[in-house]
Amino acid sequence: MRSETKNVVFPGLSVKVQPAGRTLVNLDTIVYTTDSKVSTTTVTLLGFPVVVEATPVSYTWQFGDGSPALTTSTPGKPYPSKEITHKYMKRGGVSLSLTTNYAARFNVADTGWQYIDGTVPITGPATPLQVREAVPVLVDPGR
């Protein structure tokens, strides 16, 4: 059954970034995801209806800059929350991704719920981000 659950479409959640589309070196960049809820799908296996339920239990964030992945138990929140942030140290283009780790259970023909050992990891689509560097410029106010 565990191998079949990988064929069921569990949602691959995308990374939301604030500020959107681009950020600055050494700035706290907020990341979060939406639609992080229990997902239920019904499939037919060997002629029997099987209800598969997936519950997100953890989130593994890849920031695309070579830094270690960050695993959290929550999906984060948008500004003004700074629940999950990342500071980029170099400018350039990066691609963020999120692997949602689902606890799954199934029910064959209403015979009762059975739990699948471990979690089912699903990686969502990549989110591009431009990391820019702000350079201070001294100017002489109008004389």
Side-chain angles (χ1 to χ4, degrees):
M1 189 64 200
R2 179 173 170 74
S3 64
E4 289 300 317
T5 62
K6 291 185 179 183
N7 296 327
V8 174
V9 180
F10 291 168
L13 305 180
S14 62
V15 179
K16 307 292 185 196
V17 181
Q18 289 180 322
R22 62 182 175 207
T23 190
L24 293 174
V25 169
N26 290 320
L27 175 74
D28 275 338
T29 303
I30 299 169
V31 296
Y32 64 99
T33 190
T34 54
D35 298 328
S36 178
K37 57 188 174 203
V38 175
S39 175
T40 304
T41 303
T42 301
V43 297
T44 301
L45 187 62
L46 301 174
F48 294 98
V50 180
V51 178
V52 180
E53 185 179 273
T55 304
V57 292
S58 67
Y59 307 84
T60 302
W61 309 85
Q62 292 284 348
F63 297 103
D65 61 352
S67 63
L70 172 67
T71 300
T72 63
S73 60
T74 64
K77 296 178 186 172
Y79 183 84
S81 171
K82 287 190 171 187
E83 185 177 335
I84 305 169
T85 63
H86 182 71
K87 283 187 183 180
Y88 289 94
M89 305 314 282
K90 294 188 289 189
R91 65 183 178 168
V94 296
S95 200
L96 292 84
S97 65
L98 172 62
T99 300
T100 306
N101 300 297
Y102 290 97
R105 66 182 188 163
F106 63 94
N107 187 339
V108 179
D110 270 343
T111 58
W113 288 104
Q114 297 179 49
Y115 290 85
I116 296 171
D117 292 335
T119 59
V120 179
I122 303 292
T123 301
T127 301
L129 179 67
Q130 284 296 316
V131 181
R132 305 231 169 127
E133 189 170 9
V135 179
V137 177
L138 296 176
V139 296
D140 189 7
R143 285 187 172 187

